[in-house]
Amino acid sequence: MPSATPREDLIVSLWPESWSDLVRAGSARPPARLVASLREAEDVNALVTVNPPRSWVGRTVKRTVGRGEPTITSDGAGSVRLVEPVTLRRRRPTEVAKLQRSIAAVGRRLQRQLQRLSVADPAFITFNPFVAGFCDLSWTGSSVYYARDDWTVHPDQQPWWEAHELAYRCMRERAVPVVAVSRAILERIQPEGPSFVLPNGIDADEWLVPPPPPKWVDDLPRPLFVYVGMLDGRLDPLALEALTARYPAGSVVLAGPLLAGHQLAEIAQRPNVHVVRPEDRPAVVGLISTADVCIVPHRRTPLTEAMNPLKLYEYLAAGRPTASVDLEGCRDIDPSVVLCAESADFGAAAEAALDAGPMDEGTRRSFIDRNRWIRRHEQLRAMLREQADPAR
């Protein structure tokens, strides 16, 4: 009689989003995909999801007004819990030494809290570089830092860039295992422990039979060019100008939030540019799936050079022709992607993608199968198991 598959306890430490942030965002981001995969796994005994540290006052206020964290249910055989570490500070310290002490203290409290839950030699996956760099994780069975971005150049993290640099240095000194969505991130962290590139992926169930597009798409002139994501400083106005000038009778849809006064606001006023906020995740999938060409018109910056755009995998999962600025994280994903070296040539790149046309169905399904999130997560768990039992 075959022996039963060993069941494992796993901890996923979220950052920078909390679980409620991920739910509101549509659960498409890598941490949410990882939690979804693990909660469905039959070989997971207990899954504990840990929110980023929040102030006690802030958490109490949110709960009082009915904005507390949603529960996480299990679709597998194990149990699922959500843990919310708290601090007495209202704001994260910007002084490096204070932040290091604060995070280390949170880590010690978290260890005691998790041990009370009776998790046994857990595998610990953290998206939080401060937890990976400043916390003692020797009590875990295995651990890994999962790097989604290079936070040392992320504009939202500018007050803490120095702290991120120190966290990277601490990871090197302690040989913390690291997986990163791009080689550029690994090169910036320079880990001394086990490491490999773990690219973004896709949820096959979401893309095999996409939902219909939003109704308003029917009123837009074709060809339809679609960008989905944050409308912020990563977008290149020059590339968008080149595209809108080449197709004045077409439609360029920028799907995401645009801040008032942003440099893209002027482009958004053009008659062939449409800034929209898709109402839910199915609307995003439907919009992508009806595009004539999907686009990645990013600027070339240290931040974008380190990215492995999730949207690019989703564009290709829909089988859509795709044009992208030539960034390292956009290369070698699929040969159908038309890469553009210069912003001024982006319109020509989009035209080349349009002329190439969509993937055939067999090629599309093969791309989906190769890039399933579950395959990525199996690689991640294999790394953790090897740490826990090097003889495997």
Side-chain angles (χ1 to χ4, degrees), residues 69-322:
E69 293 293 315
T71 57
I72 310 174
T73 58
S74 173
D75 292 342
S79 63
V80 178
R81 293 177 179 267
L82 178 65
V83 171
E84 300 181 74
V86 295
T87 68
L88 296 179
R89 296 179 181 273
R90 294 294 301 270
R91 293 178 178 83
R92 187 198 308 165
T94 55
E95 185 180 327
V96 175
K98 286 183 180 179
L99 177 62
Q100 187 175 15
R101 290 194 299 270
S102 175
I103 294 296
V106 168
R108 291 190 292 271
R109 291 196 297 272
L110 178 62
Q111 176 185 351
R112 293 192 293 269
Q113 189 173 3
L114 293 172
Q115 288 174 336
R116 287 195 295 270
L117 296 178
S118 299
V119 290
D121 295 324
F124 191 101
I125 305 163
T126 183
F127 291 90
N128 190 330
F130 300 135
V131 168
F134 301 153
C135 291
D136 176 11
L137 299 177
S138 60
W139 56 274
T140 66
S142 56
S143 63
V144 63
Y145 170 52
Y146 192 146
R148 298 163 55 192
D149 276 299
D150 179 9
W151 301 108
T152 64
V153 295
H154 199 292
D156 292 348
Q157 295 295 310
Q158 188 168 0
W160 299 279
W161 281 354
E162 186 181 351
H164 283 294
E165 292 282 6
L166 177 61
Y168 286 180
R169 187 161 70 249
C170 291
M171 288 185 219
R172 287 193 292 274
E173 291 171 353
R174 293 166 42 213
V176 171
V178 177
V179 298
V181 299
S182 73
R183 183 154 303 282
I185 297 177
L186 281 185
E187 289 173 353
R188 291 178 191 177
I189 298 174
Q190 297 181 326
E192 294 292 337
S195 65
F196 63 87
V197 175
L198 190 70
N200 283 315
I202 47 180
D203 179 358
D205 293 339
E206 193 173 47
W207 293 99
L208 285 172
V209 184
K215 292 292 185 183
W216 51 263
V217 173
D218 296 339
D219 299 327
L220 297 181
R222 298 276 178 160
L224 175 63
F225 302 90
V226 170
Y227 174 86
V228 173
M230 296 296 294
L231 309 182
D232 56 16
R234 76 193 71 183
L235 284 174
D236 185 349
L238 295 178
L240 288 170
E241 285 175 7
L243 176 60
T244 57
R246 199 171 191 93
Y247 288 95
S251 301
V252 178
V253 171
L254 306 177
L258 174 62
L259 298 178
H262 192 278
Q263 59 180 337
L264 292 173
E266 181 179 343
I267 293 176
Q269 299 304 312
R270 298 188 179 190
N272 60 338
V273 176
H274 308 270
V275 176
V276 300
R277 291 286 296 268
E279 59 189 38
D280 54 24
R281 181 64 184 170
V284 172
V285 176
L287 174 62
I288 290 173
S289 299
T290 196
D292 294 306
V293 176
C294 289
I295 57 174
V296 185
H298 284 173
R299 296 166 56 217
R300 229 176 237 95
T301 69
L303 177 66
T304 60
E305 289 284 4
M307 288 180 172
N308 177 240
L310 175 58
K311 60 179 63 61
L312 191 50
Y313 290 87
E314 296 181 336
Y315 295 166
L316 295 168
R320 308 325 298 161
T322 300

Side-chain angles (χ1 to χ4, degrees), residues 338-362:
V338 178
L339 297 173
C340 171
E342 300 294 336
S343 301
D345 297 330
F346 196 80
E351 182 176 8
L354 182 64
D355 291 344
M359 291 181 183
D360 64 71
E361 186 63 9

Side-chain angles (χ1 to χ4, degrees), residues 14 17-29 31-33 35-36 39 49 51 68-73 82 279-282:
L14 304 177
E17 310 98 324
S18 68
W19 180 248
S20 62
D21 295 333
L22 293 169
V23 171
R24 283 195 296 270
S27 300
R29 297 175 183 174
R33 293 302 190 193
V35 171
R39 71 187 181 89
T49 303
N51 268 344
E69 293 293 315
T71 57
I72 310 174
T73 58
L82 178 65
E279 59 189 38
D280 54 24
R281 181 64 184 170

